[in-house]
Amino acid sequence: MNPLNPPTPRGSLFDRFPTPAGQNQGYPPPYYPPPPPAPGMRRSPLDELSGTIGQIGSVVNTPFVQQYGQQLINESKSKFATLLSMDMLRYYFVVNNQYVINKLKLLVFPIGHADWKRRSPMRSRPDAEPIYLPPREDIHAPDLYIPLVSFITYILLVGVIAGSKHVFHPEILLVTGSTGLGVLVLEIFIDKILLAIVGSKTIPILDLIAYSTYKYVAVVLALLGNILLGRSAFYIITLIFGVFMCLFLFHTLSQELSTDEFSVGGRRLRGATTPCSQSEHCNFPLCFFLGVMNL
């Protein structure tokens, strides 16, 4: 017996999947069900498992499933490449110092601001899609610079608070970032479902990401208040700026959807009263949750 090529044990699973003569070796063998058990004997769990796996494999190997799976993969690749294209991302980072200052003022104190409409140049055709000005030229345009800086600052402040309690560990930063990203994914998922239910026009996903992560400005201010003034300041700042953040998002999304009309439960609704714009009121409890979980 050659020790480098031991014989296949008799009765193994490989004996139940023989390869017919002349079959192309580049394809998986067809599924052959295991032989029925002898009278009075029950089929073993291993036989049932192998039978289930064989049936699944035979279904997956059908041309229709393979073609549909390849088509789904190609569509996902194209959408992902479009989402992460440099030209599209560059739009959300076209900012300057004046825009950042004015946008932060609008975020922390939106009361008294009257015009919430985004600016766009003249359209070449009346039915053409509007092309909005970049954030540097329009304070109402969503950006990703302020959310990104706020999110990083939030993670660092959580590390500072943990260090002041002598319980800092690098995993705290990882858990904090993962929790924030999980909350973001949940928000985007809920907003997409609500937009699909009411049949609204599609809001770009990067716009939704920007709107959903502006709340970290309020969370950062609340954590700074906790570090400098104590826990009571944290609750007061969270209450005040959380309400202001909800007001900002309500006006912004209402303007985004103001041209749409929906039919929900037999009632005609406009953008300001749709579930998507109303859902932004949940940013207040999210601001409180993201802050208080790290105190």
Side-chain angles (χ1 to χ4, degrees), residues 69-83:
Q70 187 64 35
Q71 180 182 357
L72 185 62
I73 291 175
N74 293 335
E75 291 179 357
S76 300
K77 286 181 179 179
S78 61
K79 290 181 179 180
F80 190 72
T82 304
L83 176 63

Side-chain angles (χ1 to χ4, degrees), residues 7 21 26 41 43 53 61 79 150-151 156 177 187 189 239 250-251 253 291:
M41 297 181 61
R43 179 173 293 179
I53 294 176
N61 288 330
K79 290 181 179 180
S150 302
F151 184 66
L156 295 178
E187 284 187 84
F189 180 72
L239 176 62
F250 175 76
H251 284 298
L253 287 182

Side-chain angles (χ1 to χ4, degrees), residues 16-18 30-36 43 47 50-51 54-55:
R16 299 173 186 157
F17 300 92
Y31 167 67
Y32 292 93
R43 179 173 293 179
D47 290 336
S50 62
Q55 293 175 0

Side-chain angles (χ1 to χ4, degrees), residues 224-294:
L224 285 175
N226 176 76
I227 295 174
L228 300 176
L229 303 175
R231 182 164 297 191
S232 299
F234 166 81
Y235 292 115
I236 295 174
I237 294 175
T238 300
L239 176 62
I240 295 175
F241 290 108
V243 172
F244 285 168
M245 191 63 57
C246 293
L247 184 62
F248 166 81
L249 292 174
F250 175 76
H251 284 298
T252 301
L253 287 182
S254 297
Q255 186 62 42
E256 284 273 359
L257 304 172
S258 62
T259 58
D260 290 351
E261 289 189 356
F262 316 94
S263 177
V264 179
R267 298 172 54 195
R268 300 297 298 177
L269 304 178
R270 294 190 66 85
T273 55
T274 57
C276 184
S277 60
Q278 298 290 339
S279 69
E280 293 306 326
H281 289 90
C282 69
N283 274 269
F284 173 73
L286 287 177
C287 290
F288 180 79
F289 166 74
L290 291 171
V292 76
M293 65 175 291
N294 298 294

Side-chain angles (χ1 to χ4, degrees), residues 75-255:
E75 291 179 357
S76 300
K77 286 181 179 179
S78 61
K79 290 181 179 180
F80 190 72
T82 304
L83 176 63
L84 297 182
S85 62
M86 294 304 299
D87 292 337
M88 182 173 293
L89 286 175
R90 189 179 296 113
Y91 169 85
Y92 294 90
F93 289 93
V94 181
V95 300
N96 53 20
N97 295 335
Q98 191 63 37
Y99 167 82
V100 173
I101 295 174
N102 293 334
K103 192 58 171 272
L104 289 176
K105 290 180 180 178
L106 185 61
L107 288 171
V108 300
F109 194 77
I111 297 178
H113 191 77
D115 184 14
W116 294 88
K117 188 175 182 180
R118 292 179 62 177
R119 297 172 55 194
S120 62
M122 295 295 294
R123 305 182 191 180
S124 57
R125 302 189 314 274
D127 58 342
E129 289 292 331
I131 300 176
Y132 296 110
L133 295 177
R136 182 175 55 193
E137 303 177 26
D138 182 13
I139 190 176
H140 303 111
D143 73 284
L144 291 176
Y145 175 79
I146 293 178
L148 179 61
V149 174
S150 302
F151 184 66
I152 295 175
T153 306
Y154 161 70
I155 296 176
L156 295 178
L157 286 178
V158 171
V160 171
I161 294 175
S164 64
K165 298 178 180 178
H166 305 287
V167 294
F168 176 78
H169 193 274
E171 290 183 359
I172 294 178
L173 304 181
L174 179 61
V175 171
T176 303
S178 302
T179 303
L181 292 178
V183 171
L184 173 62
V185 171
L186 180 62
E187 284 187 84
I188 299 300
F189 180 72
I190 293 175
D191 288 340
K192 282 292 186 180
I193 290 179
L194 293 176
L195 288 172
I197 290 176
V198 300
S200 169
K201 66 180 182 181
T202 302
I203 298 179
I205 189 171
L206 291 179
D207 285 12
L208 290 177
I209 292 175
Y211 295 140
S212 299
T213 47
Y214 278 135
K215 63 178 171 291
Y216 285 103
V217 174
V219 177
V220 167
L221 293 175
L223 291 180
L224 285 175
N226 176 76
I227 295 174
L228 300 176
L229 303 175
R231 182 164 297 191
S232 299
F234 166 81
Y235 292 115
I236 295 174
I237 294 175
T238 300
L239 176 62
I240 295 175
F241 290 108
V243 172
F244 285 168
M245 191 63 57
C246 293
L247 184 62
F248 166 81
L249 292 174
F250 175 76
H251 284 298
T252 301
L253 287 182
S254 297
Q255 186 62 42

